[in-house]
Amino acid sequence: MFIVIRKDLAKVLQWPLGSVIAQGCHASVAVMQKYRDDERVKTYVDDINSMHKVVLETKNEASLLKMAENLKQNNIPYYLWTEQPENIPTCLATVPVVRSDLGDALKKCSLMR
């Protein structure tokens, strides 16, 4: 599973670290619920002790939306989390996939630091 979080939430908008982490949690739970019948999701949760996640960062809202479009074009199921009531897209999470399945969809992302 890949989770992509906007870097500017903490750096520019000054969101607390806990709030930024919560965004990734929201997106990962949402994608698992939305695609609960997908075989990749079923396999992922069958081995609860080996649920691998990669948390990536992207620059801002525009780059996050570009990543979502890339995933859509590559037929990779994902969930774009939009924080309410602010209506701010904050992060996205993919269904459990291996990096090679992504192609170039998230190539401009780096590991979150």
Side-chain angles (χ1 to χ4, degrees):
M1 174 184 289
F2 290 85
I3 301 166
V4 182
I5 301 175
R6 288 174 46 185
K7 186 176 184 177
D8 68 329
L9 295 177
K11 302 286 184 186
V12 176
L13 301 175
Q14 300 290 304
W15 284 28
L17 179 59
S19 296
V20 174
I21 292 170
Q23 302 309 300
C25 296
H26 293 325
S28 63
V29 171
V31 77
M32 297 296 283
Q33 175 62 22
K34 182 175 181 180
Y35 296 102
R36 64 188 170 274
D37 295 327
D38 186 297
E39 286 304 315
R40 293 167 289 196
V41 171
K42 290 178 181 180
T43 300
Y44 185 77
V45 298
D46 278 347
D47 190 1
I48 199 163
N49 293 314
S50 296
M51 294 193 290
H52 183 75
K53 292 171 187 61
V54 177
V55 181
L56 304 171
E57 65 184 16
T58 192
K59 186 176 178 181
N60 53 33
E61 182 177 340
S63 63
L64 180 69
L65 297 176
K66 177 64 175 161
M67 297 301 114
E69 183 58 32
N70 291 347
L71 291 167
K72 184 176 180 180
Q73 289 175 1
N74 284 282
N75 297 313
I76 308 281
Y78 68 94
Y79 192 93
L80 177 67
W81 182 261
T82 301
E83 184 66 6
Q84 296 299 333
E86 298 88 350
N87 203 36
I88 299 172
T90 59
C91 67
L92 62 80
T94 68
V95 296
V97 293
V98 294
R99 187 174 291 276
S100 60
D101 291 343
L102 292 172
D104 291 339
L106 300 179
K107 71 178 180 179
K108 294 195 176 183
C109 295
S110 57
L111 286 175
M112 186 164 202
R113 300 180 191 273

